[in-house]
Amino acid sequence: MINSNNPFSLIGKTILITGASSGIGQGIAIACSRQGAKVLLLGRDLKRLNDTLARCENGKDHAGLSLDFQDTDGWTDEFTSFAKENAPIHGFVHAAGISPTVPFKIIKAEQIQETFQLNVFSAIEILQIISKVGIKSPEGMSMVMISSVMSEVGQKGKSLYAMTKAALVALVKSLALEYADKNIRFNAISPSVVNTPLSGKSEYRKDPAAMKQVEDMHPLGLGEVEDVAHAAIYLLADASRWVTGTNMVVDGGYLSS
Ligand SMILES: NC(=O)c1ccc[n+]([C@@H]2O[C@H](COP(=O)([O-])OP(=O)(O)OC[C@H]3O[C@@H](n4cnc5c(N)ncnc54)[C@H](OP(=O)(O)O)[C@@H]3O)[C@@H](O)[C@H]2O)c1
């Protein structure tokens, strides 16, 4: 039953978030907890993951697990136990990601594999695990992939990153159809530049002229993690119960400029 006083409430929902130790994932974790969700946090750096847990509100049963999705020895068994212990899961946000900038002619197969492993394949493995009976919420679920405006437009040196982000958008469109009868919704969010540790490392930040150019492409200015977190809350909450298969652009006007 939708909460008519606050359709954006996440009270009673358990939300799993990757990339929760930093930036957008951390912002989403904190914002979801403020809306009443129990949050399950995944990240790599245990100390920063615990910092996020300490900043989450409304309850003490939030949980965290440190995993490296690029670990070739595997992480899925440990994750499956964690998911079972904390089931049922109502929502999932995949915010873990890296954003390599590399000219196409020197991209190595190994780098393609590593980038896809984190940005795309880890999400696929998690989706397959949490949509199983015994872990998924029988009432339905909402899955949110953090993509990027790079799924829609290009940029020099971003072919590898853009491929991974476009893959997430393609994924949600088909899964939205495949799982509609089970009331599992799939959507993507495509931000442009958001102030985070990841975007802070970008080359353009070192050059005032290049930085001005990036800022000029954002009529509403650069984004903050809350701007993406509020979109995620909408897609996770019952307010969006009729929304599936979309790519929600959250970009301060970037794609229109
Ligand atoms: N910031 C932007 O301007 C922007 C714009 C569009 C889209 N995005 C997307 O938004 C997402 C979050 O970006 P962000 O800016 O918040 O980046 P961030 O601050 O660098 O955070 C990235 C997160 O991914 C996790 N991660 C990295 N490698 C991992 C691995 N091997 N295994 C498990 N987790 C790993 C990090 O964990 P540790 O820190 O613990 O290592 C961290 O929690 C990314 O998918 C990015 O592509 C960002």
Side-chain angles (χ1 to χ4, degrees), residues 12 24 31 44 64 90 93 98 122 132 136 160 163 172 195 199 214 223 247 255:
I24 290 173
R44 196 172 40 173
H90 303 79
V93 181
I98 45 173
S122 65
K132 287 194 174 122
K136 69 175 179 178
L160 174 54
M163 283 192 289
V172 302
N195 288 317
S199 67
V214 171
N247 179 20
L255 288 185

Side-chain angles (χ1 to χ4, degrees), residues 170-209:
L171 181 70
V172 302
K173 287 180 193 289
S174 285
L175 292 186
L177 304 179
E178 207 166 319
Y179 283 87
D181 63 347
K182 297 183 174 58
N183 196 28
I184 304 183
R185 301 185 291 109
F186 293 83
N187 293 288
I189 296 176
S190 282
S192 55
V193 177
V194 178
N195 288 317
T196 68
L198 180 83
S199 67
K201 286 180 229 147
S202 301
E203 281 303 309
Y204 58 75
R205 299 260 178 185
K206 297 173 195 154
D207 172 1

